[in-house]
Amino acid sequence: MMKTMLCIAFFMAFNLVQNPVSTKNTGEMKLQLSNVNVNNKGVIYIAIYNKKQDFMTRNFFKSTKVEVGEDSSIELVFDAIPYRFYAVTAYHDINANQQMDFNENGMPIEDYAMSGTPNQMGPPNWEQVKFEFKDETQVINLNF
């Protein structure tokens, strides 16, 4: 009986080494930027947030920038992104001052885009723009 138990235990351990259980908990996040105004040129700044308290601050999870060229659609790919909730923001800096500009009423004068469904009549909040990142490859659309 003891021999049989040892054989079963050995077989199970060997099988786990040969066929490990997948514990992948990261994926590829593809950001699809569309309707970019190519006439304005400039740079698009993108920020990915993974914490509610950091949303719309400079404490982002990841960030990047991309020069606006001739194509009104841009794709960016981020690898090995952990599965969890995120929010993505982007703005088109047309005057190279590295900040989003507003008019005297506080309305943005540079194009922007966000994940989710931001409030059109006020500043966005985390609950409106967050999404659950949970797929091996997940596409997030940002429409300017």
Side-chain angles (χ1 to χ4, degrees), residues 57-93:
T57 70
R58 292 193 182 270
N59 296 327
F60 32 76
F61 168 68
K62 288 197 178 285
S63 69
T64 191
K65 64 181 180 178
V66 61
E67 294 279 336
V68 175
E70 300 299 319
D71 196 347
S72 65
S73 295
I74 300 168
E75 180 179 276
L76 301 167
V77 178
F78 296 88
D79 294 319
I81 302 296
Y83 296 146
R84 62 180 302 162
F85 283 93
Y86 292 94
V88 180
T89 65
Y91 74 94
H92 186 167
D93 185 15

Side-chain angles (χ1 to χ4, degrees), residues 107-119:
M107 297 300 293
I109 57 175
E110 293 178 305
D111 293 337
Y112 64 94
M114 296 189 183
S115 55
T117 311
N119 181 3

Side-chain angles (χ1 to χ4, degrees), residues 102-129:
F102 300 88
N103 67 17
E104 57 278 349
N105 295 327
M107 297 300 293
I109 57 175
E110 293 178 305
D111 293 337
Y112 64 94
M114 296 189 183
S115 55
T117 311
N119 181 3
Q120 296 298 316
M121 299 306 289
N125 68 55
W126 172 262
E127 296 302 320
Q128 295 168 330
V129 299

